Each structure stands twice: as C-alpha cells, then as structure tokens.
Amino acid sequence: MASIVLRKPSNMRKNRINPEKLFLYDNFAFPDFVKKALSGAFRDNIRLFLHDFAEIQNYCVNGMPVWCTSLFTENDVVCPLYTLEETVQDSPTPFCNYCELSGWGHHFVCKRKYHFIIPEKADWNEPLDVDFAELESLKLYGLVHCNGFGHLVCIHGLRYNFNFFGAEDSVEFWDRLCTLLRVRSISADHVSRRGSVELNLIHGIAYGKSWLAKWGYRFNGEITEDKHNAAIRYLSKLSLDLIISISMSNRNANRIKSIIDVYRKCSTNPLSTISDLLKFMLALDSRIDMVANGVPKLNLETGETIPMGFEKLVDSMRKSCRWPARRLEHVLLVIVDLLKEHKNENLGRDCGVSRQQLRDGARRSIGDTGLIDFVLKSINCFTVENQIIRRATNPFSRLAEFTIQECSRGYNLSVDVWTVCENVVAMWPETKLILECDHFVKDWPIAGRVVGQGLVLECKVLPSFDELEGQLGRRLSPGEVVVVKPWMTVADLKMVAQGALKDTYCVMDEFEVSQIGGLRKIENDKVVGSVFELGAQVWVRGRGLDLGTRLRHEDGGWKMKG
C-alpha cells in the first residue's frame, strides 16, 4: 500500500507546504490526534474534517461546494480526494436510488449528502465534471448521508503504476475513512466488477469468500450465505483436467487448454483445481496487489511465494539501501541475463544457479560487490516481462539457488482471467447464483463506542398512534446518534436530541422533543449516566413532524403515492 501524507489546509501558496500542517498517513492508519478530534456523530465529524483537513475550491459542481483533501504519496505526487456537499432541498434529485436498492427506502430524507471522489489520474489537476456521478472512470466514488448511512458506489483503483494504490488499497482507504468519520452503515452494490468479470466471483472461487468480505461486508439479499458458500465450494473443486475434457467442444478449447498449461508450467506447485489456477493467476496480477509494504507474502493456501513486480522490488530495495534505483535495476537485469544464458546452455531445462555463480558472473560487469550481494539477498520471487525469477533452497546441497521460468506463449492476466470465467466458470449454474449475490452491507455498531468521557446514544423518534396508522405507516427510520456527557440531565438530552434531529432530517425541521422515553416518560431531572448505558437506544417523543413535505422517505414513496 502507498504511504500517504494528508495535508491540512493553509493560506500559504499552493506550491509551498507548511511542515506543521503535514502528518504521516502510513498504510492508511490515521494518527490518534485526528481520531480524537473526530469523535462525534458523522454529521459533526464531516464538518470538522472539511474545515481542518480540506480546502474549499473556487468553483461549484451543480450548485454543490467542493472541498479537496490532498493525499501525498511517498514520491511527493498529489492525489486529490474531493468532497461535495449536496443540500437536498435544493437538489433536482433529492431521493436516493441506492437507499432503495439497499432496503433503506424507509429512512427519512436527510438534509445533506456528501460525495467522496477520487477521479481518474489524468483528471487530478482538472475541476470535477458536472456529470461526475455518471463517469465510469472514477477511481473511487462514495456517498454518505448526513445521518451516517451511505453507499460505496464504485471502486476501480489506480492501475499500472505502483506509486498509487490499486483496487484493494482503494477499498482499504474508503474503509478507514468511514471508520474515521464514524459512519453508521455502508452498502456496496455492483462495485466489485473488474472489467467484465466479477471480483466476488473469481475471489470467491479462489479463496472461498467474497472479495468485500475481507473488509467485513456481509450479504444483504434474498440468497442465503449457506447457498452462496455451497456454490463456491462446488466450483472451487472443479478439476482442471475435467475442465479441459469438457471444453473440447468449446470453440475456445485450444485457448483454454493453452492457458491452463502455461500457468501450470509457471507454477512451482501443482495446479489441480480451478481454485488453484485462479489463486495463482491472482497472485501474479499486479492490478490486484497481493504485496504489502514491498515484502513478498507466502500464499497460505498454496504455500507458494507470490511474485513481486519488477518495479515494486526495485522500490522496496531503494528504501533500505544507499544505492539509487537505476543501479539496482541494472544489477537485476544483469542477473536475469545470466540466468537466461545458463538456461540456454542447459537446453532450456530449469536448472538452478547458485548464489556464488551469479555473484561471480555479475562481477565481470559490476565492480561493487556490496551492491551485488545486497540485490541477491533481496531477491525472493519477482516477475519481469514474461519471466518469473525465484530463489529457493536446494534440498540436497542446502544452498540457495536461483531459477528463471519463461512462459513461451506469454500471458495477459486480465484477458486470461476473463477467458477462464467466461468460457469455463460460466458453464455451471452455480455461477449465476454467485453473481446474484451482489448486495453487501457493512455496519459500524454504536454499542461499545467510547468517546472520552462522552456517552454515545441512539435517539429514535416514536411517532404517535395516528402518525403510525396514517401518514407514516411503514418501518421506522433509524435513530440519530448523539454524544452527551454522562452527568447531563434528561432535560439536557432532550435539547441535544432535538438539535440533532432538526439538523439531520427534512421531516423534522420544526420538530420539538417533549419526552424522553417511549410509553413511560423519564423525568427531566434524572442524570443520563444513571439511566442509559453506552450505545443504548433512546425513545424520543414530540410534536412537529412535517407530514406534508414531499421529502419524507429516501425512496420517494410519498411522491409516488401522491
């Protein structure tokens, strides 16, 4: 993952950076002082975030003000995170289709929506387009209502450049940003599409769980998790030999067999099932980054070291030595050429070359033995062009040996994954069931949240009997989060809850809290800390709900009924 620095706004010129306004944003872990500052409800935290960690831009998009938070990579390249504040009462699209898809159509319409956007790299220095919500090129697009419920609309990742984060890093960034701002719940529908292949499908077959499950997202649909898991298990165990045999009648039979043979040749471990094949292909794919902090991982399922990209290896070595990147690259390429020469001398057989042999061969053109030793020590498993270079221990001599494997056909990982899924996986009915599991939700529970000396509560409006039977005859909207001091009285809580509800929902513009407690009123002089536990749901009753407004429920139900 990229190491990023987040810049607080300053009145200094844009080409100058105040070092006091910088903090390290390492592996997307926010500093403690930021977490402490953003300790309230989302509606308050987002305002503080924009004030302290973003700069207002000198233009609007569709009437919405725009803020920009600058994310600095370790190479001092600036990546913008744009935040747009949409005032629902002035919006041509006040209702939320995403809420309706997520089963949240019964939520009261919030007064504000916040759009979080990282555009395509080519547009980083350009103003946001007025049609930003329609662009498929956005690298990240999330939307959060001011009550803390939101949607991960799309995620693509910044591809082809190891200096910027990819699809998994983008989700990780979004997840930590949501945690920082104290969101309540995020839905993710149809966001895991990679080209024309579903990440949840290929990741499920390869690793046994959906792609988004790694970040705590759960299914939110009609299909049960047990049915989904059964389909995954069935597809994962499909034999590659059986697939080759069944595919003989397929017009792409030769290509399917060629793909399987090539990746089997490139793997040091046997590939028996389609799960094995997809694991290995994903491990090679630089666009789904399986390497953290420049250190190659061991795939626990296969026991195989995941190859590191050439540029990433150079970047990793550069951080821990005194030599510049160009000299490290030169040594690596010399070693690759030596391994090729050795393989040609042995008629193409995969014979290992000892560390000492490579060292002696490299010294013929490189005088710095310390540099050679450092590079040889740093090599574990990496790729360059269509070759995989590995270091392993010879089981007989117990010495380190280096090998090079070349795929004669060459491979295009993205195309090959697509071919396997479209021409192999799609043949089974279980695939359709998995693809239908595209509604996911992650919750950030209120219960257990500790905010210094504050008490976090959820204040939920209990309408009158007439309101429930008539105008509001559907599921109740979720409560609103408030943070109060435990020594405050119930009378104080009434005022805090009233302010939060008025600030959040259109239907509560004139709402006045008259009672804390549902059927049984809690006296005003009671101390909050003695009545409610941390994370408790507090029933609120009052008067002034605007039952005549069209901005009632997020699915626009009132408008449709009218």
Side-chain angles (χ1 to χ4, degrees), residues 263-559:
Y263 289 97
R264 275 177 161 173
K265 180 180 178 182
C266 292
S267 175
T268 56
N269 292 324
L271 304 181
S272 303
T273 66
I274 192 168
S275 176
D276 297 335
L277 175 65
L278 286 175
K279 283 178 191 175
F280 185 71
M281 294 171 83
L282 294 181
L284 288 174
D285 192 346
S286 60
R287 280 175 290 177
I288 300 181
D289 185 10
M290 302 289 286
V291 181
N293 299 323
V295 180
K297 292 181 182 178
L298 186 68
N299 189 318
L300 297 179
E301 289 88 351
T302 65
E304 183 161 8
T305 301
I306 296 170
M308 181 185 291
F310 182 82
E311 294 88 353
K312 188 174 284 290
L313 175 59
V314 173
D315 188 55
S316 172
M317 292 191 295
R318 184 182 58 79
K319 294 176 184 176
S320 56
C321 74
R322 67 181 188 275
W323 292 285
R326 59 179 176 78
R327 296 195 65 190
L328 297 170
E329 290 178 3
H330 176 64
V331 177
L332 281 173
L333 294 175
V334 168
I335 291 171
V336 170
D337 288 340
L338 289 171
L339 289 171
K340 287 180 180 178
E341 290 177 11
H342 181 80
K343 188 169 185 175
N344 290 335
E345 291 171 358
N346 287 273
L347 304 178
R349 293 193 299 271
D350 293 330
C351 301
V353 183
S354 71
R355 178 184 174 280
Q356 189 60 46
Q357 285 178 286
L358 284 179
R359 188 176 189 268
D360 293 342
R363 286 187 64 186
R364 292 197 294 266
S365 58
I366 301 170
D368 191 338
T369 56
L371 173 59
I372 298 172
D373 290 338
F374 173 77
V375 172
L376 289 172
K377 182 180 70 173
S378 302
I379 293 175
N380 190 5
C381 182
F382 74 94
T383 60
V384 55
E385 296 177 350
N386 292 331
Q387 292 126 359
I388 302 176
I389 290 82
R390 285 191 176 89
R391 182 185 67 190
T393 301
N394 186 306
F396 301 104
S397 66
R398 301 292 183 182
L399 297 176
E401 289 186 347
F402 297 79
T403 59
I404 184 169
Q405 292 174 309
E406 184 174 358
C407 299
S408 57
R409 177 185 70 88
Y411 49 79
N412 185 321
L413 287 159
S414 184
V415 173
D416 290 348
V417 170
W418 181 88
T419 301
V420 169
C421 287
E422 292 292 319
N423 294 279
V424 177
V425 179
M427 293 190 298
W428 277 267
E430 287 79 7
T431 300
K432 181 179 179 182
L433 185 146
I434 296 170
L435 291 176
E436 290 175 353
C437 297
D438 56 2
H439 299 285
F440 297 87
V441 171
K442 178 175 179 178
D443 301 315
W444 281 258
I446 297 174
R449 264 187 57 188
V450 179
V451 181
Q453 295 181 324
L455 188 65
V456 183
L457 302 173
E458 180 187 4
C459 293
K460 189 167 186 176
V461 173
L462 179 62
S464 67
F465 178 79
D466 290 338
E467 291 167 339
L468 287 172
E469 286 294 310
Q471 304 287 352
L472 297 176
R474 60 191 306 181
R475 279 193 296 162
L476 293 180
S477 184
E480 187 58 19
V481 174
V482 299
V483 180
V484 296
K485 301 299 182 185
W487 55 81
M488 293 174 66
T489 64
V490 170
D492 297 326
L493 176 59
K494 286 167 61 176
M495 299 306 296
V496 173
Q498 179 174 296
L501 293 167
K502 281 187 172 185
D503 183 39
T504 305
Y505 300 110
C506 296
V507 75
M508 297 190 187
D509 241 354
E510 304 297 329
F511 186 71
E512 294 182 4
V513 175
S514 60
Q515 174 180 317
I516 295 294
L519 299 178
R520 181 177 297 179
K521 178 181 178 181
I522 301 175
E523 297 301 323
N524 288 338
D525 58 354
K526 293 282 188 181
V527 177
V528 171
S530 65
V531 180
F532 303 108
E533 296 180 352
L534 181 68
Q537 179 177 277
V538 179
W539 286 107
V540 174
R541 307 196 74 167
R543 65 184 70 86
L545 286 175
D546 186 2
L547 301 180
T549 180
R550 70 186 186 95
L551 302 178
R552 183 179 301 176
H553 296 112
E554 289 289 1
D555 61 3
W558 171 251
K559 182 179 179 181

Side-chain angles (χ1 to χ4, degrees), residues 46-57:
I46 183 60
R47 288 166 169 154
L48 187 61
F49 177 80
L50 295 178
H51 182 272
D52 287 357
F53 304 113
E55 294 181 270
I56 187 74
Q57 303 299 289

Side-chain angles (χ1 to χ4, degrees), residues 18-116:
N18 183 349
E20 295 181 358
K21 297 290 187 178
L22 295 174
F23 62 79
L24 185 62
Y25 187 72
D26 188 22
N27 290 335
F28 308 117
F30 289 94
D32 288 339
F33 82 88
V34 181
K35 296 177 183 177
K36 291 178 181 178
L38 304 175
S39 58
F42 173 82
R43 66 179 180 277
D44 299 320
N45 291 338
I46 183 60
R47 288 166 169 154
L48 187 61
F49 177 80
L50 295 178
H51 182 272
D52 287 357
F53 304 113
E55 294 181 270
I56 187 74
Q57 303 299 289
N58 59 2
Y59 67 94
C60 293
V61 175
N62 298 328
M64 293 180 280
V66 181
W67 286 264
C68 181
T69 302
S70 298
L71 308 176
F72 285 79
T73 71
E74 58 198 9
N75 294 329
D76 296 327
V77 179
V78 182
C79 170
L81 169 67
Y82 290 107
T83 306
L84 290 76
E85 183 183 65
E86 179 180 0
T87 302
V88 169
Q89 289 177 323
D90 300 329
S91 173
T93 55
F95 305 111
C96 183
N97 293 331
Y98 302 114
C99 279
E100 187 174 5
L101 288 172
S102 304
W104 299 342
H106 64 289
H107 288 197
F108 288 140
V109 173
C110 290
K111 290 186 174 182
R112 297 173 303 283
K113 306 175 190 175
Y114 294 91
H115 304 261
F116 299 90

